[in-house]
């Protein structure tokens, strides 16, 4: 068995005390990041990339550390959803619908355990799915030429834009902005400067980490100051945590269904974890016999979206690793990490660097078990951390963002650029322009142009070459559908309103 | 409404500048059928198209910060720009104390906790980054260390 051999290699790298320690630290930090309102998986991982890079980790250690943070943040998001009615990150939004009512009925402990176990089931199944599907997809990806890759990038932008925003022209604008920024710097083919305006700092292009930290973390500072930074007061009581076996047994169907739906949503480029948890919740509500109790504290309404969002997190790694096309904001950030470490994701990754892929997968399996232990019996530790006041937390996050970029580049120019991206991110958020396509554009822009130009070299300038193979035609059709379909689906997929915080 | 239209107009102006700047990109002897200008042209064109669509069909307006809130955000921006400029010449600790105290005060306008936050973060983060994580940070201005 190829698979078991590979997995054995992976575990032999991942099971060293050093790697295990990194995974544990990553899980711990990740859960905290996920639990704190305002800090989600994407800005959490974005903040940590420059720092871990400056610390000089090798590729595998950095990957293990930061994917543990990623998985951890997916687990942690539920804690503030349930206890504060504030989603710790966007995918955890659906968990507030039934999680907070459960907590108000004095079942906070049960809700945390059920959602923790659901997270584990979702993430674990998705990691196994990743193990089985990723090598297969990477074999398909070998047949991709430049024309197919160009179409694939289009697909990623279109579906991300279609799903991510309420206004198609805004998400297309965001993607183009990112692509336009990516063009700055030396042209790869001709080594002629483009859009540098004689500024030496721009010769190497704009570092995508600067853009990511600015758009995600610094923009959050402005948003937070404006929204008065409501202090997180835990209004519900958390008693002794015991494991509600009956409730777990009752919700196991919801967990499995949620995992399946989330996993598929995660694989689709551009869809990601938010959609995964949303679809899992809606599907569970539809098939369930006790529909009416959803939204009033039904444990199934906690289990399904949590399994869904964690499964989607695992599923989203598949297109990112095999094709180099991320499916969500956080995987875009993980792609930035891989590029920083000089690892080019794609089909070659599986044949040339199997050690990286399989130790990553082994680390994910280990991290999941650690996270289950951290998040079920030890959840009280994280609840305590939630009470850190925002007026300490937010300045702290800002300083970490600056230190990360400063120690990475050592230049004032890049820090100013980061602040500028922060302002851009704030304005975009105000105007409901999604920022993830901007980041995807910056990350993929050069590769996209390069593939277009190589395709044109192959076809000697015939643009119809882009639509000449069955695979590329399929991708173009999917791209068009992904961009247009949400306009029609939107009326069916209305998000249910969040339960309101009533003062009592 | 207004927000979308203004943003759209700004984007059109920027895109025109972008297109103009793209015309000046030089080709070299290493040429390919597409060349270094085509892709930027496409992008610039698409930006104009999207911006026009935003101007013609704007979304309902959101509430923009006015008066004191705008001032508050402006102060935050100036403080962050100042931080970016001073962290190199003045070292990490002093600017961090000042900046995190100001940001903390903006979120929770009580002076004592803000000052404490400033000192705590300035010194605490320095110890964390320098000694625990081993980053090459400089703590104090060069002159002070002699």
């Amino acid at each position: 068995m190829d698979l078991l051999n590979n997995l054995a290699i992976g575990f032999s790298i991942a099971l060293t005390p050093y790697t295990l320690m990194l995974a544990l630290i990553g899980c711990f930090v990740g859960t905290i990041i996920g639990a704190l309102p305002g800090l989600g998986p994407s800005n959490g991982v974005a903040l940590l990339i420059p720092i871990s890079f400056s610390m000089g980790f090798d590729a595998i250690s950095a990957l293990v550390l930061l994917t543990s943070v990623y998985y951890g943040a997916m687990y942690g998001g539920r804690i503030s959803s349930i206890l504060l009615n504030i989603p710790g990150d966007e995918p955890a939004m659906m968990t507030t619908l039934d999680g907070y009512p459960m907590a108000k009925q004095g079942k906070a402990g049960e809700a945390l355990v059920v959602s923790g176990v659901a997270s584990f089931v979702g993430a674990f199944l998705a990691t196994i799915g990743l193990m089985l599907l990723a090598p297969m997809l990477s074999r398909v990806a070998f047949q991709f030429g430049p024309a197919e890759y160009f179409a694939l990038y289009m697909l990623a932008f279109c579906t991300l834009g279609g799903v991510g925003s309420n206004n198609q022209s805004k998400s297309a604008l965001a993607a183009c902005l990112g692509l336009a920024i990516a063009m700055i710097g030396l042209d790869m083919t001709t080594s002629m400067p483009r859009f540098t305006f004689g500024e030496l700092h721009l010769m190497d292009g704009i570092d995508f980490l600067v853009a990511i930290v600015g758009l995600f973390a610094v923009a959050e500072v402005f948003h937070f100051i404006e929204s008065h930074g409501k202090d997180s007061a835990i209004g519900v009581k958390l008693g002794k945590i015991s494991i509600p076996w009956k409730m777990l047994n009752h919700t196991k169907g919801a967990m499995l269904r949620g995992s399946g739906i989330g996993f598929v949503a995660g694989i689709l480029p551009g869809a990601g974890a938010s959609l995964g948890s949303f679809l899992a919740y809606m599907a569970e509500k539809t098939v369930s016999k006790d529909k009416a109790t959803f939204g009033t504290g039904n444990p199934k309404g906690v289990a399904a979206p949590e399994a869904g969002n964690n499964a989607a997190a695992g599923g989203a790694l598949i297109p990112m690793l095999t094709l180099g096309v991320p499916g969500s904001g956080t995987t875009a950030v993980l792609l930035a990490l891989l590029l920083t470490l000089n690892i080019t994701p794609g089909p070659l990754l599986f044949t040339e660097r199997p050690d990286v892929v399989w130790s990553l997968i082994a680390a994910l399996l280990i991290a999941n078990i650690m996270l289950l232990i951290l998040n079920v019996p030890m959840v009280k530790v994280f609840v305590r951390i939630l009470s850190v006041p925002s007026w300490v937390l937010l300045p702290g996050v800002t300083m970490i963002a600056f230190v990360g970029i400063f120690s990475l580049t050592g230049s004032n120019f890049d820090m100013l650029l980061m602040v500028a991206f922060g302002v851009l991110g704030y304005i975009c958020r105000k105007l409901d322009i999604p920022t993830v396509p901007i980041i995807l554009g910056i990350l993929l822009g050069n590769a996209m142009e390069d593939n277009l130009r190589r395709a044109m070299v192959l076809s000697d300038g015939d643009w119809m070459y882009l639509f000449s193979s069955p695979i590329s035609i399929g991708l173009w059709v999917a791209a068009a559908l992904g961009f247009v379909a949400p306009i029609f689906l939107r009326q069916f997929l209305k998000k249910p309103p969040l339960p309101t915080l009533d003062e009592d | 409404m207004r927000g979308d239209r203004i943003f759209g107009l700004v984007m059109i102006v920027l895109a025109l500048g972008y297109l103009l700047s793209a015309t000046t990109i030089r080709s070299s002897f290493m040429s390919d059928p597409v060349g270094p200008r085509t892709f930027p042209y496409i992008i610039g064109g698409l930006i104009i198209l999207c911006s026009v669509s935003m101007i013609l069909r704007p979304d309902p307006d959101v509430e923009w910060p006015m008066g004191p809130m705008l001032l508050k955000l402006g102060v935050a921006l100036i403080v962050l720009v100042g931080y970016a400029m001073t962290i190199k010449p003045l070292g990490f600790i002093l600017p961090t104390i000042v900046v995190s105290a100001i940001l903390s005060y903006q979120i929770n306008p009580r002076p004592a906790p803000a000052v404490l936050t400033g000192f705590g973060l300035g010194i605490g983060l320095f110890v964390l980054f320098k000694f625990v994580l081993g980053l090459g940070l400089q703590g104090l201005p060069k002159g002070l260390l002699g």
Side-chain angles (χ1 to χ4, degrees):
Chain A
M1 272 297 277
D2 230 18
L3 182 70
L4 290 179
N5 274 339
N6 284 329
L7 206 55
I9 299 173
F11 273 106
S12 71
I13 301 170
L15 275 176
T16 57
Y18 178 66
T19 321
L20 284 177
M21 186 194 71
L22 286 179
L24 185 64
I25 294 174
C27 293
F28 192 79
V29 173
T31 312
I32 295 175
I33 287 174
L36 294 169
L39 261 185
S42 24
N43 42 24
V45 176
L47 277 177
L48 294 177
I49 292 177
I51 292 175
S52 63
F53 193 68
S54 310
M55 286 171 69
F57 280 123
D58 62 89
I60 292 175
S61 307
L63 261 182
V64 168
L65 180 69
L66 289 168
T67 42
S68 305
V69 172
Y70 171 48
Y71 265 36
M74 298 311 275
Y75 271 75
R78 75 192 208 286
I79 299 177
S80 57
S81 294
I82 291 171
L83 295 179
L84 306 175
N85 198 25
I86 302 169
D89 48 51
E90 206 201 327
M93 204 182 84
M94 304 306 291
T95 313
T96 56
L97 296 178
D98 280 284
Y100 187 66
M102 270 182 88
K104 288 195 81 178
Q105 294 158 20
K107 290 189 282 190
E110 281 91 336
L112 283 173
V113 174
V114 168
S115 58
V117 173
S119 297
F120 173 76
V121 171
F124 200 79
L125 290 178
T127 311
I128 291 176
L130 164 71
M131 224 157 73
L132 299 171
L133 267 182
M136 271 157 58
L137 193 61
S138 82
R139 278 195 285 278
V140 176
F142 263 122
Q143 299 172 8
F144 279 33
E148 283 81 8
Y149 267 109
F150 185 76
L152 183 70
Y153 293 140
M154 283 303 293
L155 171 64
F157 283 118
C158 287
T159 46
L160 190 68
V163 177
S165 169
N166 293 318
N167 185 336
Q168 253 63 359
S169 58
K170 286 185 175 177
S171 41
L173 178 68
C176 290
L177 265 182
L179 290 172
I181 294 168
M183 295 299 108
I184 297 171
L186 290 183
D187 172 32
M188 281 193 291
T189 323
T190 59
S191 20
M192 284 292 166
R194 296 195 285 186
F195 309 108
T196 57
F197 309 105
E199 175 69 59
L200 267 181
H201 289 289
L202 291 175
M203 280 297 190
D204 290 334
I206 287 177
D207 193 325
F208 46 77
L209 288 175
V210 172
I212 291 174
V213 175
L215 283 172
F216 282 165
V218 179
E220 189 67 34
V221 176
F222 295 120
H223 180 74
F224 211 92
I225 291 175
E226 192 192 356
S227 63
H228 306 296
K230 283 176 226 97
D231 242 340
S232 45
I234 298 180
V236 293
K237 270 222 176 84
L238 181 61
K240 199 172 172 297
I241 306 253
S242 58
I243 298 180
W245 292 109
K246 240 176 111 182
M247 204 182 270
L248 285 178
N249 194 34
H250 184 60
T251 52
K252 66 174 186 288
M255 288 180 196
L256 292 176
R257 282 187 289 273
S259 305
I261 294 169
F263 183 65
V264 174
I267 296 175
L268 296 177
S274 306
L275 187 76
S277 66
F278 174 72
L279 289 179
Y281 185 88
M282 295 315 267
E284 192 57 36
K285 194 175 171 181
T286 314
V287 300
S288 176
K289 280 188 226 71
D290 41 1
K291 279 189 195 62
T293 62
F294 273 77
T296 60
N298 188 328
K300 284 188 206 159
V302 176
E306 267 309 306
N309 96 38
N310 285 275
L317 287 173
I318 295 179
M320 201 274 280
L321 287 173
T322 54
L323 301 167
V325 175
S328 63
T330 322
T331 36
V333 177
L334 286 176
L335 175 66
L337 167 70
L338 288 176
L339 296 176
T340 316
L341 295 168
N342 246 336
I343 298 171
T344 316
L348 288 177
L349 182 64
F350 283 75
T351 46
E352 281 174 3
R353 299 293 301 272
D355 55 327
V356 171
V357 177
W358 292 99
S359 58
L360 174 66
I361 291 175
L364 287 177
L365 290 171
I366 296 167
N368 250 316
I369 294 168
M370 285 177 174
L371 280 165
L372 182 67
I373 297 169
L374 283 177
N375 274 277
V376 175
M378 286 173 61
V379 72
K380 284 205 151 169
V381 178
F382 296 106
V383 174
R384 186 137 310 148
I385 290 170
L386 261 187
S387 47
V388 172
S390 54
W391 44 269
V392 174
L393 180 71
L394 196 84
V397 169
T398 319
M399 302 299 118
I400 293 172
F402 275 87
V403 168
I405 295 302
F406 180 60
S407 52
L408 190 73
T409 66
S411 90
N412 292 341
F413 182 82
D414 280 320
M415 281 189 284
L416 289 174
L417 204 58
M418 176 178 82
V419 176
F421 272 110
V423 175
L424 177 69
Y426 169 79
I427 294 173
C428 284
R429 191 158 164 176
K430 273 279 168 193
L431 292 174
D432 193 28
I433 297 173
T435 49
V436 175
I438 303 181
I439 286 165
L440 209 58
I442 299 175
L443 279 173
L444 299 180
N446 287 314
M448 191 166 174
E449 189 198 9
D450 192 44
N451 276 302
L452 175 68
R453 284 163 80 169
R454 280 195 309 187
M456 290 302 116
V457 169
L458 288 179
S459 72
D460 209 17
D462 177 13
W463 287 77
M464 286 317 287
Y465 179 73
L466 292 177
F467 311 97
S468 61
S469 81
I471 297 181
S472 57
I473 291 172
L475 290 169
W476 280 103
V477 170
L481 280 177
F483 193 64
V484 178
I487 300 176
F488 302 105
L489 289 177
R490 202 160 283 142
Q491 43 194 326
F492 300 109
L493 292 174
K494 282 247 170 64
K495 285 189 181 172
L498 283 175
T500 43
L501 263 176
D502 38 21
E503 311 293 331
D504 54 3
Chain B
M1 297 276 284
R2 275 212 358 250
D4 276 13
R5 292 203 162 126
I6 294 170
F7 192 81
L9 276 179
V10 172
M11 279 297 135
I12 289 179
V13 172
L14 284 179
L16 288 175
Y18 191 80
L19 287 174
L20 192 69
S21 167
T23 57
T24 64
I25 299 169
R26 278 175 299 158
S27 308
S28 72
F29 62 94
M30 290 266 298
S31 70
D32 52 313
V34 174
R37 286 182 295 269
T38 314
F39 200 68
Y41 285 155
I42 299 174
I43 299 296
L46 282 175
I47 291 182
I48 292 178
L49 204 69
C50 296
S51 308
V52 169
S53 149
M54 256 177 90
I55 291 171
L56 293 181
R57 295 182 48 205
D59 288 338
D61 227 350
V62 286
E63 210 176 298
W64 285 89
M66 286 296 166
M69 180 51 74
L70 196 63
L71 192 73
K72 223 172 161 183
L73 289 172
V75 170
L77 177 62
I78 291 166
V79 164
L80 291 183
V81 169
Y83 189 54
M85 303 294 284
T86 50
I87 190 168
K88 209 169 178 180
L90 292 183
F92 178 75
I93 296 178
L94 296 177
T96 305
I97 291 176
V98 175
V99 171
S100 35
I102 295 175
L103 286 180
S104 175
Y105 184 79
Q106 285 199 307
I107 295 165
N108 180 25
R110 281 186 300 155
V115 170
L116 278 180
T117 306
F119 276 94
L121 284 175
I123 295 163
L125 285 179
F126 181 71
V127 170
L128 174 72
F129 287 128
K130 179 91 182 177
F131 301 111
V132 181
L133 301 180
L135 297 185
L137 273 184
Q138 194 203 330
L140 293 165
K142 276 209 182 88
L144 277 185
L145 298 174

